[in-house]
Amino acid sequence: MAFSDSAAKQLENITSEAEIHALDRALVVVSVDPEVGEPIPGSAAGPQLREYADEFERVRLLYWVTALKTVVVVAYLEV
């Protein structure tokens, strides 16, 4: 799993244990099954972005999967 620069900056601003727990839970789900997220419609020129939403933890991850199955997290959002 890797993080884009913008996602890494978001992670630096997380301060509460509840937020860390919610993010960890979502990251585990996506790392176990990268196809779990819904594809986000877009152009075929770039990577296919996906969105994973965890309604229980109230978070969303925007990410894409490389050809070698590395998950690149683009953004972490609280819902």
Side-chain angles (χ1 to χ4, degrees):
M1 182 146 319
F3 297 91
S4 69
D5 290 341
S6 61
K9 287 179 185 176
Q10 285 181 302
L11 296 178
E12 290 174 3
N13 294 325
I14 295 177
T15 56
S16 79
E17 285 189 38
E19 288 176 317
I20 292 169
H21 173 76
L23 175 61
D24 284 347
R25 179 183 162 120
L27 291 173
V28 167
V29 170
V30 171
S31 69
V32 170
D33 182 8
E35 303 299 317
V36 71
E38 297 294 322
I40 297 174
S43 105
Q48 174 67 57
L49 286 175
R50 302 183 73 84
E51 175 184 20
Y52 170 72
D54 183 328
E55 298 301 323
F56 180 74
E57 294 290 348
R58 301 183 48 87
V59 299
R60 289 188 313 152
L61 288 178
L62 301 180
Y63 66 96
W64 60 280
V65 182
T66 70
L68 298 175
K69 299 297 182 194
T70 299
V71 175
V72 178
V73 177
V74 176
Y76 159 73
L77 308 163
E78 283 190 68
V79 184

